[in-house]
């Protein structure tokens, strides 16, 4: 919580240091309503998507191979339909 400067949630899943975190500008509709999503990239070569409204629930993960480069940068891109 940036207003109180206190930690309010911990997301468990990565097996190594987190190198990047990005807040999603998109809202995902699911069974329990709407989800606000953050995405994290780690030295463990995974990208994980987290539902911040459901208190720690991991929505999805992507594993990016065996290399030890880690996920250092994330960016959400909005695609427009023509």
């Amino acid at each position: 919580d940036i207003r109180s400067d206190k930690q309010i949630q911990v997301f468990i899943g990565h097996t190594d240091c987190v190198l990047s975190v990005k807040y999603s500008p998109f809202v995902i509709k699911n069974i329990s309503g709407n989800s606000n999503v953050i995405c994290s990239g780690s030295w463990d070569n995974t990208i994980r998507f987290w539902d911040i409204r459901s208190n720690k629930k991991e929505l999805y993960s992507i594993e990016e191979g065996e290399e030890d480069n880690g996920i250092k940068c994330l960016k959400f891109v909005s695609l427009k339909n023509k």
Side-chain angles (χ1 to χ4, degrees):
D1 183 348
I2 60 173
R3 291 170 288 193
S4 66
D5 197 28
K6 296 194 189 251
Q7 179 177 310
I8 56 174
Q9 288 187 12
V10 175
F11 298 98
I12 306 293
H14 287 294
T15 59
D16 210 328
C17 297
V18 172
L19 302 170
S20 55
V21 176
K22 190 77 171 170
Y23 182 80
S24 170
F26 310 113
V27 175
I28 297 172
K29 292 189 181 252
N30 60 23
I31 296 170
S32 61
N34 293 335
S35 299
N36 286 66
V37 176
I38 61 171
C39 181
S40 56
S42 170
W43 198 258
D44 66 7
N45 292 314
T46 62
I47 301 168
R48 297 183 187 272
F49 297 84
W50 307 92
D51 179 352
I52 61 175
R53 289 195 177 176
S54 72
N55 196 22
K56 307 176 202 170
K57 181 181 176 190
E58 183 181 308
L59 295 170
Y60 190 74
S61 66
I62 301 169
E63 189 167 340
E64 290 296 318
E66 297 291 325
E67 295 182 25
D68 290 334
N69 294 329
I71 309 297
K72 297 178 182 92
C73 183
L74 301 166
K75 183 174 182 174
F76 286 96
V77 178
S78 178
L79 302 176
K80 295 181 181 180
N81 292 333
K82 290 186 178 183

